[in-house]
Amino acid sequence: MKLKTILLLLLFGGMLNLLSAAEPADKKPVNVVVAPTFWDPNYPNRATCKRLIELMRDDSQLRITQWGGLSLPGGAGRAPLMMAIAGKTAPDIMEAWFHIVGNDIRQGFLYPLNEWIGEDRDGDGLIDPKEAKWGKWAEIPPLWRQVVTKDEKVYAVPQATKYYMGVLFRTDMVRAAGLDPERTPETWDELIYWCQKLTDPSKEVPGAIIRQGQRGIALLPYGFTWLPWMQSAGGNPIMQIRTSPTTGKEYLLPPDTLRFTTPEGEDLSRAKITWKANFSSEAGIKAAGFYHKLRWMRWMIDPETKEPVSLNEEDLAAKKVKIGDRAIAFTPKDIITGVARGQTEQRGTGAFDLLSRGEVAMVTWFVQDLNSIGSTTGLDSDLLSWFPFPAANSPGGRQVVQVQNHYVTMCESVGDRPKEERDKVWEVLTAITDQKVADDAVREKVLSGLARFVNPEDLKRLGLDDYLKDVPKGIRDNYARIASGDIAVFTEPYMGFWITMDNNINAQVLSLIIAETGDNFDYKAALNKIETDANSGLMFGRSEAELDRYRPTARIIFTLLVIVIVVFFIMIVRSQLVAVGSQHVTGSTRSVAHPLAPWLLLGPAVLLIGLWSYYPLLRGMVMAFQDYRIAGESRFVGLDNFISLALDSSFWMALVRTGYYVLLNMALAFCAPIILALMLSEIPVGKYVYRTFFFLPQVTSGLVIALLWKMMYEPTPQGFMNQLIGYLNMIPFVDISSQTWLQDPKIAMLCCVIPTVWASMGMASLIYLAALKSVPEELYEAADVDGAGIFTKLRKITMPTLLPLIVINFVGAFIGTFQNMGNIFLMTFGGPGESTTVVGLLIWKEAYNNLRFSMATSMAWVLGSLLIGFTYLQIQFLKKVEFRKAESD
């Protein structure tokens, strides 16, 4: 048996040698690292994976591997990729979203593709089809070519698959409500009628976690799902301004305008373009108002006709509504509020979960995800269909869909590879963007019985006409109207940093409209603020003219601050020199064997502190005066970052909120341990049991504590804290309404502080309890003889004893609280709106969400400067503190 095994191994080894000998020695394998979006060996049937497997089969020199970076959720999702780009460990090929690829280009993340696509020869800044040497460049729509072209360089190629967003709905629920799924709403009013017919607040929905009956539609708080409503009202989220070089006149144009000629005949195709956000335009306010109406409108059911009747303010005041010749009186029980459910972070409100359980009948999402929504929620996909966003009932209203067609790009590190290897990377990139990938995905859907979700034109193009009968008439009509232009097609904003504004629209407008406290929310003011922030640096930078107005003043202030810092530093050095001289005169009670011995002992610690603390501090000081880039050159901008910061009202409001946050922490988290220690010191029996009981939360992870309290803050009657309120209401004369907790801007900050109080006061109380043992019992006995009461002893004996420790802890806790934002990060992420956005969290968002590292560093320096004085006071006080040894108990 062993002999056979040895012979087989020898035979196998000989075959490998023959194979390797057959391959040319100079033909080394080329490894191309691809992001998991396109290449994941665990899913070989995915269209892109199948295409890359086929490519490797045809090219034996090519080796494709999956990038193994970290995967983080939410706003931190791109942080691992940015770190990889900075560390030169990024994939060769990655995906860039349509609305963020421009920022990736500006940040220097991407490698230009001109060596394969071609060069701009006519000087218009674009590579026209006639200039391209890559034949497929001409097949790409002009807008998609322009988005990825900057300074005559092309940085990405669009994927073959397009995604359309519309209104998804359940056909079974629509039919049950007496509506026709083939005659879908075309206007906002018709959609409201559908929602009213599909709403039944009293209906018992099986499996519902929060029992609110059935509603017409689920509202998502995402900015990109709100944009089509604004566009259906005739608006555009951003606008371009083209300035005539001859007349200086400015022309405000839609964002997708590529070429423009003035009424006077002047061609402005090559004129300089500036951009501005347009969120608070009339169309934007109408779209937010429509969200609000869906969530909070008042209406009732006509008792005679059983048809829905909308109620206005006059009807509600009169408690009756006139319908034709009839006047119908109603009571508060007859009024129905809203026709929509909002997706929030609370358990059981996921839009697709609501759809699958039948708690809502419609949701806005991507048409191509109809099948995946059905499979992940356990809902039969045949029960799903879609229609475009209805048109607003106003001039300029139009039916729209949103299209998303993302890109495939090369990371900038590809430029470090030899030309032969770069060609292999290009080979992989073109394979991923090949139309064959999209066609294979279509065929796979058809073979899986999902032809009804495929664009009929694709079925015709691929010779699958037999499956056209499976596509419902309404869906066929939708695609036909898109192709004819009857349904307008829009994209997300591609200029500026839209993803930041998407998050802000979510947090500061939409999530507040659909929250339980959103009835009286002023969405107009919120949109105005968002537009101002967008045009002040968050999306589009401040103009040079605006910065020039403030630069002289900034230089004067900066010079004065430098003088103050230098004087302050000289005073500290002089005080230290005086202290050293005094010590030298009076002599020391201790000595060392050699004067260099202390420095040798301190050397390693000083080196490590300098490397990990002071070097980043100095590096951050430089970043504050730069337009810092992770990749590429960082440009020196002087005091511009500080000027923008001074003009940013959001920063100053965050500083005020930070002060409020610190005040709450000092009043609760700092004072509670002192009170608890005093109480524990007076317990006659079971003192160790109580100390252990209060100490236990300290051994629990802070992450677990925050998430635990977040669950207890569920803003429904079934939430733990609201159940406690229900028990309190059983007490006579007590009537407390249910709270929305973390969704209420008025108490959200307090809700974030309370878990810290609960978790930390046990440990801190033990420290104070130990300090109490340093108080001589004779003092209390003498006070008893003098007839002193408990409050006198507390004021005259206990507090003076604890005062040094209290002051030390106060200064440390004060500084630490200014920098802390852990609970807020986990529980609210700065919401609702900006009610819990403290400076520490704002710095994190600026750096890792907005990629404005220089602005984040500037904020950190301002915050640090405010805290330097407290650190100096702490050092001065520590010199005078006298510590005593306490007796154990």
Side-chain angles (χ1 to χ4, degrees), residues 237-312:
I238 63 172
M239 301 293 287
Q240 59 170 291
I241 302 172
R242 293 182 183 247
T243 305
S244 168
T246 56
T247 65
K249 186 177 179 180
E250 294 183 344
Y251 296 87
L252 192 65
L253 304 170
D256 54 354
T257 302
L258 300 180
R259 300 187 181 278
F260 176 72
T261 302
T262 67
E264 295 76 24
E266 184 181 6
D267 184 8
L268 297 184
S269 300
R270 300 187 184 184
K272 181 181 178 181
I273 302 175
T274 56
W275 298 86
K276 70 180 291 288
N278 196 40
F279 303 122
S280 65
S281 64
E282 182 180 355
I285 292 173
K286 283 182 180 178
F290 187 63
Y291 246 68
H292 189 274
K293 185 174 183 179
L294 290 172
R295 180 68 177 86
W296 295 106
M297 66 177 293
R298 267 62 170 187
W299 59 286
M300 60 175 289
I301 299 294
D302 188 330
E304 182 177 325
T305 64
K306 304 303 179 184
E307 286 293 302
V309 179
S310 298
L311 304 174
N312 56 35

Side-chain angles (χ1 to χ4, degrees), residues 474-719:
I475 293 180
R476 290 201 305 270
D477 292 343
N478 290 337
Y479 281 113
R481 293 175 64 200
I482 290 173
S484 67
D486 188 29
I487 295 176
V489 178
F490 291 95
T491 67
E492 290 185 75
Y494 58 90
M495 294 302 297
F497 200 21
W498 155 244
I499 195 170
T500 300
M501 306 318 301
D502 176 81
N503 292 332
N504 285 7
I505 291 172
N506 174 345
Q508 300 179 34
V509 181
L510 303 182
S511 62
L512 294 180
I513 289 176
I514 65 179
E516 297 296 328
T517 57
D519 192 4
N520 298 315
F521 175 65
D522 188 356
Y523 53 83
K524 296 180 182 178
L527 280 175
N528 278 323
K529 180 183 181 304
I530 285 176
E531 182 175 311
T532 300
D533 290 343
N535 293 323
S536 301
L538 279 185
M539 190 171 185
F540 303 111
R542 295 183 183 274
S543 66
E544 283 293 316
E546 184 179 12
L547 292 172
D548 279 337
R549 290 202 304 268
Y550 296 100
R551 279 170 178 155
T553 304
R555 294 189 186 102
I556 294 172
I557 295 174
F558 180 75
T559 303
L560 293 175
L561 288 175
V562 170
I563 293 173
V564 170
I565 292 172
V566 170
V567 172
F568 187 67
F569 180 76
I570 292 173
M571 291 175 61
I572 294 176
V573 171
R574 288 185 61 184
S575 65
Q576 293 298 318
L577 291 176
V578 170
V580 171
S582 176
Q583 184 181 19
H584 180 72
V585 171
T586 59
S588 176
T589 59
R590 300 181 182 180
S591 62
V592 295
H594 194 280
L596 293 178
W599 293 105
L600 291 175
L601 294 173
L602 289 172
V606 171
L607 181 62
L608 290 174
I609 292 173
L611 179 63
W612 298 110
S613 296
Y614 288 99
Y615 173 72
L617 194 67
L618 294 174
R619 186 69 185 88
M621 183 184 294
V622 176
M623 286 174 58
F625 298 94
Q626 293 178 321
D627 181 12
Y628 182 76
R629 297 280 188 261
I630 291 179
E633 184 179 355
S634 297
R635 183 171 55 92
F636 180 78
V637 295
L639 299 174
D640 288 356
N641 291 324
F642 292 97
I643 295 172
S644 298
L645 193 61
L647 299 175
D648 185 3
S649 61
S650 295
F651 171 73
W652 298 109
M653 291 304 298
L655 202 59
V656 172
R657 283 189 294 271
T658 303
Y660 176 57
Y661 177 62
V662 172
L663 179 63
L664 284 177
N665 267 279
M666 292 297 101
L668 299 176
F670 182 75
C671 296
I674 301 174
I675 299 172
L676 180 61
L678 293 172
M679 295 171 64
L680 289 175
S681 66
E682 298 297 326
I683 293 177
V685 180
K687 62 177 71 176
Y688 296 111
V689 174
Y690 283 104
R691 293 176 189 178
T692 304
F693 179 77
F694 284 105
F695 181 77
L696 281 178
Q698 189 69 37
V699 302
T700 307
S701 167
L703 173 64
V704 172
I705 290 172
L707 296 179
L708 175 67
W709 277 83
K710 186 174 182 178
M711 292 177 64
M712 292 194 297
Y713 282 138
E714 185 175 311
T716 65
Q718 291 76 28

Side-chain angles (χ1 to χ4, degrees), residues 185-189 229 232-233 388-394 396-400:
E186 296 187 359
T187 65
W188 285 4
D189 284 348
W229 297 112
S232 69
F389 288 84
N393 300 88
S394 60
R398 54 201 173 185
Q399 288 184 269
V400 307

